[in-house]
């Protein structure tokens, strides 16, 4: 499905969206705004009548165990609110739970966070666990509101989108009684959320990012391939001496096993100081938050094992998604290389174990989405039997979306058992210049398509790389997904640092690849947004591709030649997103290049030179954006390093 090498690759890739997302122009921050949401579920639970439900009652009750003559007769009220549509640039969020008292008492009450799911048929024995106390109040007056500060429940990358539940408990005094959803109109439980929208110029993007709710309302889905072996931190040590620094970034690391190719990795996740407590879960929450902030819908998690530490990371990733944002979905992706010795029954048991999570991705009809990597490692008959086991033993219907290494070869034999198709793809501009034909073929077979999107591919330990052409490969693969009307996208990968394919915020590129993808995923979902802030993105290598390292490497990366790909090049690229036409100046190794850049998105490349790299944009004599790369270009690199660095004028990292 790959086209032959084109004689000329057009530098600027334009994207034709179905419409244009109307962004808010840059300007001063808006005045605070408030939205009030009425509860969609409420009930109370009674220890004295543990099996009785109270969801249809016209009142809610909270009572400490000492509030009447009955021993240990505690009552708790539960209220739930659906919160959607707060803008992604909301800041200064406060939240107030308002309940109307139905009785005058001197009761002391508390609002506590509830994270588990429940319905109004819940009973005392099945009551959800209660989290920390958020707000308190004392003294109720019949017919008047009591207000409880629950701002502490609003945390995460996009605070505000999701379902928020609270328990009302009485800590002292007599029984507290409130109006319920079935009670007096205008006195139902309410949640008031107040926030301020920061100006577009305050953010790191060149446009006002739509809210998470707006992006998720689209039927298009964008996932990123999560590779468990490379979490934010391996050992929770200081970045200068942690496992990445000691063992994977140095040629002598891990007792010298990586000396031949100059070290296992060339990049690592953005660093952080050591944490207290469960640092692995905390790091996974950070990665979920980063992905949510970038507009992603979820992760496709590479399941390499069903017993090892990598499996534990899969389970913890699902827990992290549940905690940060249950709307962020985890797609189960068994890796049929890593699972070569795992039989059908063991795979079914493992996936069924995690499938109950509300964060594991299911279709609207409740089918569990399973998208095995290298699905062709097992026959369609094997997969059919596996899906039968999932249904008969675990009651789980599967929507099967095989991710092939060779879509053209296996699509027909897998068609009858598949909901959709995916390909892991190749990572050079030539291979990704004709993607629509493959997407059209999948659609003609009645299947949805998950398009791979890649930035680059550089594998020291395997001795191969592909020429990404700065961001050519990234932009062309996004163009293919949009033009071909792919239903889903998979960024390959979020964090496989051994293959140099990472989109995650990293030491070498910061947020650059994610920020660019946030723009293109917005184009895919809602139409391309208006540029409201001048931003420059600069990409370059730190060495000419043919430069030899000074470290005595015996294994050097060579261009992957099958299938035929883009030929190597030594270039610096300036990708500009400008609110209006301006002048861009690129300084590379002391040589200055100046050109007129149009409004909107445009790309210009220049020869790579040794020395420093920077770019600036000006308009009417004033500089409006500057990007200075912290990476010097050298003709004598210590180890061979063919990964592109990325720099944004709008971010320090």
């Amino acid at each position: 499905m790959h086209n032959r090498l084109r004689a000329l690759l057009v530098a600027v890739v334009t994207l034709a969206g179905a419409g244009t997302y109307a962004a808010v122009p840059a300007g001063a921050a808006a005045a605070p705004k408030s939205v009030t949401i009425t509860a969609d579920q409420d009930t109370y639970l009674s220890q004295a009548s543990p099996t009785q439900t109270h969801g249809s009652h016209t009142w809610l009750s909270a009572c400490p165990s000492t509030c009447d003559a009955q021993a240990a007769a505690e009552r708790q009220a539960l209220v739930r609110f659906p919160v959607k549509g707060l803008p992604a640039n909301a800041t200064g969020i406060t939240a107030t739970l308002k309940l109307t008292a139905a009785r005058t008492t001197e009761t002391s009450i508390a609002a506590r966070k509830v994270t588990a799911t429940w319905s109004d048929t819940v009973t005392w024995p099945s009551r959800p666990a209660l989290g920390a106390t958020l707000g308190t109040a004392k003294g109720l007056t019949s017919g008047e509101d009591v207000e409880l500060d629950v701002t502490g429940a609003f945390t995460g990358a996009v605070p505000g989108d999701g379902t928020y539940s609270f328990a009302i408990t009485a800590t002292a005094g007599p029984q507290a009684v409130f109006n319920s959803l079935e009670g007096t109109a205008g006195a139902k439980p309410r949640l008031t959320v107040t926030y301020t929208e920061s100006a577009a110029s305050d953010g790191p993007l060149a446009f006002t990012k739509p809210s998470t709710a707006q992006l998720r309302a689209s039927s298009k889905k964008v996932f990123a391939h999560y590779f468990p072996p490379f979490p934010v931190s391996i050992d929770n040590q200081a970045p200068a001496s942690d496992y990445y620094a000691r063992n994977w970034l140095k040629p002598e690391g891990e007792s010298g096993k990586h000396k031949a190719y100059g070290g296992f990795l060339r990049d690592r996740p953005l660093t952080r100081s050591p944490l207290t407590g469960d640092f692995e879960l905390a790091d996974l929450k950070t990665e979920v938050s980063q992905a949510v902030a970038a507009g992603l819908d979820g992760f496709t998690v590479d399941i390499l094992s069903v017993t090892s530490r990598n499996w534990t990371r899969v389970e913890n990733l699902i827990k992290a998604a549940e905690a940060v944002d249950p709307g962020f979905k985890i797609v189960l992706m068994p890796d049929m290389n890593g699972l070569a010795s795992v039989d059908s029954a063991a795979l079914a048991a493992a996936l069924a174990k995690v499938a109950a999570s509300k964060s594991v991705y299911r279709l609207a009809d409740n089918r569990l989405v399973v998208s095995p990597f290298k699905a062709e490692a097992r026959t369609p008959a094997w997969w059919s039997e596996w899906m039968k086991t999932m249904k008969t033993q675990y009651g789980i219907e599967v929507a099967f979306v095989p991710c092939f290494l060779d879509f053209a070869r296996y699509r027909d034999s897998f068609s009858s058992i598949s909901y959709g198709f995916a390909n892991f793809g190749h990572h050079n501009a030539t291979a990704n210049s004709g993607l629509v034909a493959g997407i059209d073929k999948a659609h003609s077979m009645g299947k949805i398509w998950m398009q791979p999107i890649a930035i680059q591919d550089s594998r020291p330990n395997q001795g191969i790389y592909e020429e990404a052409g700065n961001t050519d490969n990234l932009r062309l693969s996004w163009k293919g997904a949009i033009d071909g009307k792919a239903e889903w996208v998979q960024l390959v990968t979020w964090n496989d640092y051994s293959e140099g394919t990472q989109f995650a915020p990293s030491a070498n590129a910061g947020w650059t690849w994610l920020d660019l993808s946030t723009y293109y995923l917005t184009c895919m979902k809602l139409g391309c947004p208006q540029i409201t802030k001048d931003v420059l993105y600069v990409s370059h290598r730190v060495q000419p591709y043919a430069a030899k390292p000074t470290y005595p490497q015996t294994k050097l990366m060579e261009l992957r030649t099958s299938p035929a790909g883009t030929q190597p090049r030594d270039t610096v690229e300036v990708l500009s997103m400008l609110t209006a036409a301006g002048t861009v100046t690129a300084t590379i190794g002391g040589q200055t290049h100046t050109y007129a850049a149009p409004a909107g998105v445009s790309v210009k490349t220049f020869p790579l030179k040794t020395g420093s790299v920077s770019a600036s944009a000006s308009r009417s004599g004033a500089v409006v954006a500057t990007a200075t790369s912290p990476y010097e270009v050298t003709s004598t690199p210590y180890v061979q390093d063919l990964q592109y660095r990325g720099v944004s004028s709008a971010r320090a990292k």
Side-chain angles (χ1 to χ4, degrees):
M1 61 180 285
H2 302 297
N3 289 354
R4 67 182 186 276
L5 181 64
R6 293 183 299 170
L8 179 66
L9 179 65
V10 178
V12 180
V13 177
T14 57
L15 298 175
T20 299
Y21 174 77
V24 178
K33 299 179 180 179
S34 292
V35 59
T36 297
I37 305 104
T38 301
D40 66 353
Q41 290 276 336
D42 67 4
T43 189
Y44 74 88
L45 312 172
S46 173
Q47 192 174 17
S49 50
T51 61
Q52 189 171 345
T53 62
H54 305 95
S56 61
H57 287 206
T58 59
W59 70 89
L60 300 173
S61 177
C63 186
S65 59
T66 57
C67 73
D68 61 28
Q70 285 183 297
E74 183 180 353
R75 292 184 180 184
Q76 300 174 359
L78 296 173
V79 289
R80 188 183 75 184
F81 300 89
V83 180
K84 297 180 180 179
L86 294 189
N89 61 337
T91 61
I93 291 178
T94 61
T96 303
L97 173 61
K98 297 181 180 181
L99 302 168
T100 302
R103 184 180 300 174
T104 300
T105 65
E106 287 300 312
T107 309
S108 296
I109 61 172
R112 298 176 66 179
K113 186 176 181 179
V114 177
T115 56
T117 57
W118 55 272
S119 71
D120 61 6
T121 60
V122 66
T123 59
W124 182 266
S126 60
R127 68 192 184 280
L130 306 187
T133 296
L134 299 170
T136 60
K138 181 179 179 180
L140 313 178
T141 301
S142 180
E144 294 187 4
D145 289 341
V146 59
E147 298 186 351
L148 296 150
D149 184 356
V150 293
T151 301
F154 283 68
T155 60
V158 186
D161 284 344
T163 298
Y164 291 82
S165 292
F166 306 97
I168 311 303
T169 61
T171 56
Q175 176 183 204
V177 182
F178 310 97
N179 283 286
S180 73
L181 279 171
E182 288 73 19
T184 305
K188 303 176 189 298
R190 289 141 287 154
L191 182 69
T192 297
V193 181
T194 302
Y195 62 94
T196 300
E197 286 190 71
S198 62
S201 59
D202 293 338
L205 300 175
F207 61 99
T208 301
K209 177 178 165 284
S211 71
T212 298
Q214 288 172 305
L215 290 172
R216 289 182 183 168
S218 168
S219 62
K220 307 286 187 179
K221 301 300 175 188
V222 179
F223 305 104
H225 183 89
Y226 190 93
F227 196 56
F230 298 113
V232 171
S233 177
I234 300 293
D235 54 5
N236 197 33
Q237 298 300 306
S241 58
D242 68 358
Y243 202 91
Y244 279 100
R246 295 192 318 270
N247 290 308
W248 285 347
L249 292 169
K250 289 183 177 180
E252 299 81 12
E254 294 190 320
S255 302
K257 65 187 290 186
H258 307 298
K259 290 176 67 174
Y261 38 87
F264 188 31
L265 308 180
R266 300 295 185 268
D267 195 9
R268 62 172 297 164
L270 284 181
T271 60
R272 52 118 177 113
S273 299
L275 303 175
T276 58
D278 187 344
F279 77 89
E280 292 181 323
L281 183 59
D283 284 341
L284 289 166
K285 289 179 180 179
T286 293
E287 292 188 276
V288 170
S289 295
Q290 290 170 337
V292 172
L296 304 188
D297 294 285
F299 286 139
T300 52
V301 62
D302 193 305
I303 301 174
L304 291 158
S305 166
V306 296
T307 57
S308 70
R309 190 175 184 182
N310 285 327
W311 172 250
T312 301
R313 286 187 181 131
V314 170
E315 294 179 305
N316 282 338
L317 180 64
I318 293 169
K319 292 178 183 177
E322 291 174 343
V324 173
D325 181 354
F328 183 84
K329 300 302 180 183
I330 306 299
V331 178
L332 303 179
M333 180 168 274
D335 188 316
M336 304 317 293
N337 278 333
L339 299 173
S341 62
V342 175
D343 63 25
S344 175
L347 179 61
L351 298 196
K353 180 181 177 182
V354 296
S357 170
K358 59 188 175 182
S359 292
V360 171
Y361 188 44
R362 291 176 181 262
L363 301 180
D365 61 10
N366 205 41
R367 281 184 291 168
L368 176 71
V369 175
V370 178
S371 180
F373 170 80
K374 199 181 178 182
E376 61 263 46
R378 296 287 190 273
T379 66
W382 190 94
W383 285 114
S384 294
E385 188 63 25
W386 174 79
M387 285 189 278
K388 181 179 178 181
T389 300
M390 291 290 286
K391 182 177 180 181
T392 57
Q393 291 195 20
Y394 302 103
I396 297 173
E397 292 271 7
V398 171
F400 191 62
V401 184
C403 183
F404 299 117
L405 296 186
D406 192 341
F407 165 64
R409 181 177 179 183
Y410 292 100
R411 66 196 181 200
D412 292 335
S413 61
F414 277 77
S415 179
S416 64
I417 65 170
S418 300
Y419 169 73
F421 292 135
N423 211 40
F424 212 64
H426 291 283
H427 306 155
N428 66 84
T430 301
N432 288 323
S433 61
L435 298 174
V436 173
I439 302 173
D440 287 347
K441 180 62 179 178
H443 288 167
S444 73
M445 299 172 73
K447 311 300 178 186
I448 67 106
W449 178 258
M450 182 160 65
Q451 173 60 39
I453 304 289
I455 175 62
Q456 59 186 326
D457 195 322
S458 174
R459 311 180 187 191
N461 67 323
Q462 297 182 38
I464 55 175
Y465 76 100
E466 295 188 58
E467 179 53 70
N470 299 90
T471 68
D472 280 351
N473 183 63
L474 176 69
R475 290 177 286 111
L476 279 169
S477 48
W478 270 114
K479 176 176 170 57
I482 294 168
D483 290 351
K485 297 179 173 58
E487 289 80 6
W488 299 349
V489 151
Q490 180 180 208
L491 303 185
V492 288
T493 62
W494 175 259
N495 63 332
D496 190 345
Y497 292 90
S498 67
E499 297 186 354
T501 54
Q502 61 278 357
F503 276 81
S506 74
N508 284 355
W511 285 71
T512 302
W513 313 139
L514 272 184
D515 285 350
L516 290 172
S517 291
T518 301
Y519 174 80
Y520 290 118
L521 72 83
T522 302
C523 291
M524 177 182 178
K525 287 171 172 273
L526 302 173
C528 290
Q530 175 187 349
I531 302 302
T532 57
K533 178 179 179 178
D534 298 303
V535 178
L536 299 177
Y537 299 96
V538 175
S539 60
H540 67 92
R541 289 195 179 109
V542 293
Q543 64 161 85
Y545 70 85
K548 297 297 188 284
T550 60
Y551 185 83
Q553 283 183 236
T554 58
K555 184 176 185 178
L556 296 175
M557 288 179 282
E558 297 180 355
L559 187 71
R560 175 179 274 169
T561 57
S562 179
T566 305
Q567 292 302 299
R569 74 188 206 189
D570 292 325
T571 50
V572 174
E573 178 193 274
V574 180
L575 189 158
S576 60
M577 295 188 179
L578 300 181
T579 59
T583 299
V584 174
T585 300
T587 304
I588 304 162
Q591 186 172 350
T592 299
H593 309 266
T594 300
Y595 66 98
V601 182
S602 68
V603 176
K604 190 81 170 175
T605 59
F606 305 97
L608 183 73
K609 302 289 184 183
T610 59
S612 61
V613 176
S614 64
S616 63
S618 60
R619 188 181 302 113
S620 302
V623 175
V624 295
T626 301
T628 301
S629 173
Y631 310 107
E632 290 278 324
V633 180
T634 178
S635 60
T636 56
Y638 179 59
V639 296
Q640 186 192 35
D641 186 351
L642 298 182
Q643 284 193 31
Y644 280 98
R645 269 55 171 176
V647 181
S648 167
S649 66
R651 288 190 188 264
K653 268 292 186 183

